[in-house]
Amino acid sequence: MRTASALLGVVIAFLYALVELQTALDGPPTDQLIEEGLQRARAVPLPQQNTLQDGYVEVFGQPGRFSQARLHELTESRPGRDHTYAWSWGSPDDAVTTASALGLDNLHHFVNSYLVGYRPFDTDQLWIPLYVLASRKTYEFDHLQYTGLNDVWQNSAQAFLQTRGDCEDHAIALADWLIDMGADAWVALGRYQNEGHAWVVVNREGSTYLLEATGKRRLSRWSEYRLAATQTDYHPKYMFNREQFWVNTGSEYTVRYEGASWRRASAFHPR
């Protein structure tokens, strides 16, 4: 009996050690940790809150620049300007080279410029950004939040501070925070179950993960995130980060977010 009790004690001690090791690796998924981070975020001035990155787009392999000022001219009186536009500027074969969307300032901006380099607070745990967004941001359609407008984008600072937003607002806030943490993160635009959608893709340690930024499950381990290869309901058309814009030239049903079917179309240069 003593031998069995001793063995049981060793097993229990081992299990406790595993739990402590996992906590050390992943960090404690506690509301206190999140609240402390949010308090630090509220204490920092936010110059990005009401501004977007000014700059221009350079189309790969083509001369010339597509400036923010030119974009404003083209969209100022365009019908249906409260939609996301795909542009073929600079392409001899009318292939898409960049995209723009209407911001809270009622002006169109290149999609890259909505990633303004905003990290609400410091953390070295990559699961924290999605956990925080799941905790504090509520999904709401644009036409309900902005009466009479179909599609309005919040930049990453606005998207974090405002507690309501739709799919691209969630994705922009999440991707920009992850990028600032050193992650290779992208916002993907396309369709999910035949509806227009935006989500986040992260390349990490040889694997590609798909992060549903609008999901409200508060996951506390990176290992719980889904591999992109298993997510067949997501149909990507474009991807962008702070500097680059990519176009899917292959099947819309792909679960790959890199390779020959993805064309690097343009680069965004902030001023």
Side-chain angles (χ1 to χ4, degrees), residues 58-80:
E58 175 188 15
V59 178
F60 291 115
Q62 300 298 325
R65 298 175 175 179
F66 189 12
S67 69
Q68 187 72 54
R70 179 58 176 156
L71 177 64
H72 289 168
E73 291 176 6
L74 292 172
T75 56
E76 185 175 7
S77 58
R78 183 169 176 169

PDB file of all heavy atoms in Angstrom, residues 58-80:
ATOM      1  N   GLU A  58       3.035  51.257 -55.380  1.00  0.00           N
ATOM      2  CA  GLU A  58       3.915  50.951 -56.507  1.00  0.00           C
ATOM      3  C   GLU A  58       3.548  49.568 -57.037  1.00  0.00           C
ATOM      4  O   GLU A  58       3.568  48.589 -56.285  1.00  0.00           O
ATOM      5  CB  GLU A  58       5.370  50.972 -56.055  1.00  0.00           C
ATOM      6  CG  GLU A  58       6.359  50.554 -57.126  1.00  0.00           C
ATOM      7  CD  GLU A  58       7.769  50.409 -56.584  1.00  0.00           C
ATOM      8  OE1 GLU A  58       7.929  50.356 -55.339  1.00  0.00           O
ATOM      9  OE2 GLU A  58       8.699  50.311 -57.392  1.00  0.00           O
ATOM     10  N   VAL A  59       3.184  49.487 -58.316  1.00  0.00           N
ATOM     11  CA  VAL A  59       2.806  48.215 -58.925  1.00  0.00           C
ATOM     12  C   VAL A  59       4.070  47.500 -59.408  1.00  0.00           C
ATOM     13  O   VAL A  59       4.887  48.079 -60.120  1.00  0.00           O
ATOM     14  CB  VAL A  59       1.831  48.433 -60.099  1.00  0.00           C
ATOM     15  CG1 VAL A  59       1.486  47.106 -60.764  1.00  0.00           C
ATOM     16  CG2 VAL A  59       0.574  49.136 -59.611  1.00  0.00           C
ATOM     17  N   PHE A  60       4.236  46.235 -59.010  1.00  0.00           N
ATOM     18  CA  PHE A  60       5.449  45.502 -59.355  1.00  0.00           C
ATOM     19  C   PHE A  60       5.544  45.298 -60.867  1.00  0.00           C
ATOM     20  O   PHE A  60       4.592  44.875 -61.514  1.00  0.00           O
ATOM     21  CB  PHE A  60       5.477  44.152 -58.641  1.00  0.00           C
ATOM     22  CG  PHE A  60       5.668  44.283 -57.156  1.00  0.00           C
ATOM     23  CD1 PHE A  60       4.668  43.889 -56.279  1.00  0.00           C
ATOM     24  CD2 PHE A  60       6.842  44.815 -56.635  1.00  0.00           C
ATOM     25  CE1 PHE A  60       4.847  44.011 -54.914  1.00  0.00           C
ATOM     26  CE2 PHE A  60       7.017  44.943 -55.276  1.00  0.00           C
ATOM     27  CZ  PHE A  60       6.023  44.545 -54.406  1.00  0.00           C
ATOM     28  N   GLY A  61       6.704  45.640 -61.405  1.00  0.00           N
ATOM     29  CA  GLY A  61       6.956  45.450 -62.828  1.00  0.00           C
ATOM     30  C   GLY A  61       6.405  46.536 -63.715  1.00  0.00           C
ATOM     31  O   GLY A  61       6.511  46.446 -64.945  1.00  0.00           O
ATOM     32  N   GLN A  62       5.818  47.588 -63.125  1.00  0.00           N
ATOM     33  CA  GLN A  62       5.228  48.665 -63.917  1.00  0.00           C
ATOM     34  C   GLN A  62       5.740  50.016 -63.417  1.00  0.00           C
ATOM     35  O   GLN A  62       5.961  50.193 -62.219  1.00  0.00           O
ATOM     36  CB  GLN A  62       3.697  48.632 -63.822  1.00  0.00           C
ATOM     37  CG  GLN A  62       3.074  47.344 -64.308  1.00  0.00           C
ATOM     38  CD  GLN A  62       3.356  47.074 -65.772  1.00  0.00           C
ATOM     39  OE1 GLN A  62       3.425  47.999 -66.589  1.00  0.00           O
ATOM     40  NE2 GLN A  62       3.500  45.804 -66.123  1.00  0.00           N
ATOM     41  N   PRO A  63       5.900  50.982 -64.324  1.00  0.00           N
ATOM     42  CA  PRO A  63       6.376  52.303 -63.903  1.00  0.00           C
ATOM     43  C   PRO A  63       5.254  53.122 -63.268  1.00  0.00           C
ATOM     44  O   PRO A  63       4.072  52.823 -63.427  1.00  0.00           O
ATOM     45  CB  PRO A  63       6.821  52.942 -65.218  1.00  0.00           C
ATOM     46  CG  PRO A  63       5.941  52.295 -66.249  1.00  0.00           C
ATOM     47  CD  PRO A  63       5.714  50.892 -65.775  1.00  0.00           C
ATOM     48  N   GLY A  64       5.628  54.159 -62.552  1.00  0.00           N
ATOM     49  CA  GLY A  64       4.646  55.091 -62.005  1.00  0.00           C
ATOM     50  C   GLY A  64       4.199  54.732 -60.603  1.00  0.00           C
ATOM     51  O   GLY A  64       4.490  53.651 -60.087  1.00  0.00           O
ATOM     52  N   ARG A  65       3.448  55.687 -60.017  1.00  0.00           N
ATOM     53  CA  ARG A  65       2.936  55.520 -58.665  1.00  0.00           C
ATOM     54  C   ARG A  65       1.454  55.882 -58.621  1.00  0.00           C
ATOM     55  O   ARG A  65       1.019  56.778 -59.335  1.00  0.00           O
ATOM     56  CB  ARG A  65       3.699  56.425 -57.688  1.00  0.00           C
ATOM     57  CG  ARG A  65       5.178  56.137 -57.566  1.00  0.00           C
ATOM     58  CD  ARG A  65       5.840  57.175 -56.669  1.00  0.00           C
ATOM     59  NE  ARG A  65       7.243  56.862 -56.422  1.00  0.00           N
ATOM     60  CZ  ARG A  65       8.054  57.615 -55.681  1.00  0.00           C
ATOM     61  NH1 ARG A  65       7.578  58.716 -55.113  1.00  0.00           N
ATOM     62  NH2 ARG A  65       9.315  57.261 -55.503  1.00  0.00           N
ATOM     63  N   PHE A  66       0.730  55.183 -57.787  1.00  0.00           N
ATOM     64  CA  PHE A  66      -0.688  55.458 -57.568  1.00  0.00           C
ATOM     65  C   PHE A  66      -0.779  56.110 -56.184  1.00  0.00           C
ATOM     66  O   PHE A  66      -0.655  55.440 -55.163  1.00  0.00           O
ATOM     67  CB  PHE A  66      -1.462  54.139 -57.613  1.00  0.00           C
ATOM     68  CG  PHE A  66      -2.955  54.287 -57.624  1.00  0.00           C
ATOM     69  CD1 PHE A  66      -3.590  55.502 -57.848  1.00  0.00           C
ATOM     70  CD2 PHE A  66      -3.759  53.179 -57.405  1.00  0.00           C
ATOM     71  CE1 PHE A  66      -4.967  55.618 -57.856  1.00  0.00           C
ATOM     72  CE2 PHE A  66      -5.139  53.274 -57.410  1.00  0.00           C
ATOM     73  CZ  PHE A  66      -5.742  54.497 -57.636  1.00  0.00           C
ATOM     74  N   SER A  67      -0.982  57.424 -56.155  1.00  0.00           N
ATOM     75  CA  SER A  67      -0.904  58.162 -54.904  1.00  0.00           C
ATOM     76  C   SER A  67      -2.233  58.167 -54.163  1.00  0.00           C
ATOM     77  O   SER A  67      -3.299  57.949 -54.744  1.00  0.00           O
ATOM     78  CB  SER A  67      -0.464  59.604 -55.169  1.00  0.00           C
ATOM     79  OG  SER A  67      -1.492  60.309 -55.839  1.00  0.00           O
ATOM     80  N   GLN A  68      -2.152  58.459 -52.864  1.00  0.00           N
ATOM     81  CA  GLN A  68      -3.351  58.606 -52.055  1.00  0.00           C
ATOM     82  C   GLN A  68      -4.198  59.758 -52.569  1.00  0.00           C
ATOM     83  O   GLN A  68      -5.430  59.669 -52.606  1.00  0.00           O
ATOM     84  CB  GLN A  68      -2.968  58.844 -50.601  1.00  0.00           C
ATOM     85  CG  GLN A  68      -4.117  58.846 -49.625  1.00  0.00           C
ATOM     86  CD  GLN A  68      -4.688  57.463 -49.383  1.00  0.00           C
ATOM     87  OE1 GLN A  68      -3.955  56.543 -49.038  1.00  0.00           O
ATOM     88  NE2 GLN A  68      -5.966  57.293 -49.574  1.00  0.00           N
ATOM     89  N   ALA A  69      -3.545  60.854 -52.992  1.00  0.00           N
ATOM     90  CA  ALA A  69      -4.279  62.006 -53.528  1.00  0.00           C
ATOM     91  C   ALA A  69      -5.049  61.617 -54.785  1.00  0.00           C
ATOM     92  O   ALA A  69      -6.204  62.028 -54.973  1.00  0.00           O
ATOM     93  CB  ALA A  69      -3.303  63.144 -53.830  1.00  0.00           C
ATOM     94  N   ARG A  70      -4.424  60.828 -55.646  1.00  0.00           N
ATOM     95  CA  ARG A  70      -5.100  60.368 -56.868  1.00  0.00           C
ATOM     96  C   ARG A  70      -6.269  59.459 -56.524  1.00  0.00           C
ATOM     97  O   ARG A  70      -7.339  59.524 -57.151  1.00  0.00           O
ATOM     98  CB  ARG A  70      -4.097  59.632 -57.756  1.00  0.00           C
ATOM     99  CG  ARG A  70      -4.678  59.085 -59.055  1.00  0.00           C
ATOM    100  CD  ARG A  70      -5.304  60.172 -59.904  1.00  0.00           C
ATOM    101  NE  ARG A  70      -5.773  59.667 -61.173  1.00  0.00           N
ATOM    102  CZ  ARG A  70      -6.727  60.238 -61.902  1.00  0.00           C
ATOM    103  NH1 ARG A  70      -7.318  61.355 -61.459  1.00  0.00           N
ATOM    104  NH2 ARG A  70      -7.096  59.720 -63.056  1.00  0.00           N
ATOM    105  N   LEU A  71      -6.090  58.615 -55.528  1.00  0.00           N
ATOM    106  CA  LEU A  71      -7.170  57.744 -55.086  1.00  0.00           C
ATOM    107  C   LEU A  71      -8.366  58.571 -54.614  1.00  0.00           C
ATOM    108  O   LEU A  71      -9.512  58.264 -54.945  1.00  0.00           O
ATOM    109  CB  LEU A  71      -6.677  56.835 -53.957  1.00  0.00           C
ATOM    110  CG  LEU A  71      -7.715  55.911 -53.321  1.00  0.00           C
ATOM    111  CD1 LEU A  71      -8.237  54.900 -54.336  1.00  0.00           C
ATOM    112  CD2 LEU A  71      -7.121  55.196 -52.121  1.00  0.00           C
ATOM    113  N   HIS A  72      -8.119  59.634 -53.871  1.00  0.00           N
ATOM    114  CA  HIS A  72      -9.207  60.495 -53.406  1.00  0.00           C
ATOM    115  C   HIS A  72      -9.942  61.132 -54.576  1.00  0.00           C
ATOM    116  O   HIS A  72     -11.167  61.235 -54.573  1.00  0.00           O
ATOM    117  CB  HIS A  72      -8.652  61.575 -52.473  1.00  0.00           C
ATOM    118  CG  HIS A  72      -8.203  61.052 -51.157  1.00  0.00           C
ATOM    119  ND1 HIS A  72      -7.446  61.799 -50.264  1.00  0.00           N
ATOM    120  CD2 HIS A  72      -8.385  59.839 -50.563  1.00  0.00           C
ATOM    121  CE1 HIS A  72      -7.209  61.070 -49.181  1.00  0.00           C
ATOM    122  NE2 HIS A  72      -7.759  59.888 -49.348  1.00  0.00           N
ATOM    123  N   GLU A  73      -9.195  61.559 -55.594  1.00  0.00           N
ATOM    124  CA  GLU A  73      -9.825  62.158 -56.774  1.00  0.00           C
ATOM    125  C   GLU A  73     -10.747  61.167 -57.472  1.00  0.00           C
ATOM    126  O   GLU A  73     -11.853  61.521 -57.894  1.00  0.00           O
ATOM    127  CB  GLU A  73      -8.752  62.634 -57.752  1.00  0.00           C
ATOM    128  CG  GLU A  73      -7.939  63.825 -57.271  1.00  0.00           C
ATOM    129  CD  GLU A  73      -6.831  64.167 -58.253  1.00  0.00           C
ATOM    130  OE1 GLU A  73      -6.787  63.542 -59.343  1.00  0.00           O
ATOM    131  OE2 GLU A  73      -6.006  65.041 -57.939  1.00  0.00           O
ATOM    132  N   LEU A  74     -10.299  59.930 -57.601  1.00  0.00           N
ATOM    133  CA  LEU A  74     -11.060  58.921 -58.334  1.00  0.00           C
ATOM    134  C   LEU A  74     -12.305  58.454 -57.587  1.00  0.00           C
ATOM    135  O   LEU A  74     -13.254  57.963 -58.198  1.00  0.00           O
ATOM    136  CB  LEU A  74     -10.168  57.713 -58.639  1.00  0.00           C
ATOM    137  CG  LEU A  74      -9.030  57.950 -59.628  1.00  0.00           C
ATOM    138  CD1 LEU A  74      -8.124  56.733 -59.694  1.00  0.00           C
ATOM    139  CD2 LEU A  74      -9.577  58.275 -61.009  1.00  0.00           C
ATOM    140  N   THR A  75     -12.286  58.575 -56.271  1.00  0.00           N
ATOM    141  CA  THR A  75     -13.394  58.036 -55.483  1.00  0.00           C
ATOM    142  C   THR A  75     -14.302  59.098 -54.882  1.00  0.00           C
ATOM    143  O   THR A  75     -15.345  58.772 -54.308  1.00  0.00           O
ATOM    144  CB  THR A  75     -12.851  57.172 -54.326  1.00  0.00           C
ATOM    145  OG1 THR A  75     -11.953  57.956 -53.528  1.00  0.00           O
ATOM    146  CG2 THR A  75     -12.130  55.948 -54.858  1.00  0.00           C
ATOM    147  N   GLU A  76     -13.942  60.374 -55.020  1.00  0.00           N
ATOM    148  CA  GLU A  76     -14.674  61.445 -54.340  1.00  0.00           C
ATOM    149  C   GLU A  76     -16.153  61.467 -54.689  1.00  0.00           C
ATOM    150  O   GLU A  76     -17.017  61.613 -53.823  1.00  0.00           O
ATOM    151  CB  GLU A  76     -14.042  62.801 -54.660  1.00  0.00           C
ATOM    152  CG  GLU A  76     -14.661  63.951 -53.900  1.00  0.00           C
ATOM    153  CD  GLU A  76     -13.941  65.254 -54.151  1.00  0.00           C
ATOM    154  OE1 GLU A  76     -13.046  65.288 -55.026  1.00  0.00           O
ATOM    155  OE2 GLU A  76     -14.275  66.249 -53.481  1.00  0.00           O
ATOM    156  N   SER A  77     -16.468  61.315 -55.965  1.00  0.00           N
ATOM    157  CA  SER A  77     -17.870  61.373 -56.381  1.00  0.00           C
ATOM    158  C   SER A  77     -18.318  60.087 -57.055  1.00  0.00           C
ATOM    159  O   SER A  77     -19.309  60.072 -57.768  1.00  0.00           O
ATOM    160  CB  SER A  77     -18.073  62.553 -57.335  1.00  0.00           C
ATOM    161  OG  SER A  77     -17.233  62.433 -58.467  1.00  0.00           O
ATOM    162  N   ARG A  78     -17.607  59.013 -56.816  1.00  0.00           N
ATOM    163  CA  ARG A  78     -17.925  57.745 -57.472  1.00  0.00           C
ATOM    164  C   ARG A  78     -19.149  57.108 -56.814  1.00  0.00           C
ATOM    165  O   ARG A  78     -19.220  57.036 -55.579  1.00  0.00           O
ATOM    166  CB  ARG A  78     -16.731  56.798 -57.377  1.00  0.00           C
ATOM    167  CG  ARG A  78     -16.927  55.475 -58.100  1.00  0.00           C
ATOM    168  CD  ARG A  78     -15.611  54.736 -58.186  1.00  0.00           C
ATOM    169  NE  ARG A  78     -15.784  53.409 -58.794  1.00  0.00           N
ATOM    170  CZ  ARG A  78     -14.782  52.636 -59.171  1.00  0.00           C
ATOM    171  NH1 ARG A  78     -13.541  53.046 -58.995  1.00  0.00           N
ATOM    172  NH2 ARG A  78     -15.010  51.455 -59.707  1.00  0.00           N
ATOM    173  N   PRO A  79     -20.112  56.640 -57.601  1.00  0.00           N
ATOM    174  CA  PRO A  79     -21.283  55.948 -57.023  1.00  0.00           C
ATOM    175  C   PRO A  79     -20.850  54.678 -56.280  1.00  0.00           C
ATOM    176  O   PRO A  79     -19.908  53.997 -56.679  1.00  0.00           O
ATOM    177  CB  PRO A  79     -22.129  55.599 -58.252  1.00  0.00           C
ATOM    178  CG  PRO A  79     -21.660  56.524 -59.322  1.00  0.00           C
ATOM    179  CD  PRO A  79     -20.211  56.763 -59.058  1.00  0.00           C
ATOM    180  N   GLY A  80     -21.549  54.394 -55.206  1.00  0.00           N
ATOM    181  CA  GLY A  80     -21.243  53.192 -54.443  1.00  0.00           C
ATOM    182  C   GLY A  80     -19.892  53.233 -53.771  1.00  0.00           C
ATOM    183  O   GLY A  80     -19.256  52.199 -53.574  1.00  0.00           O
TER     184      GLY A  80
END
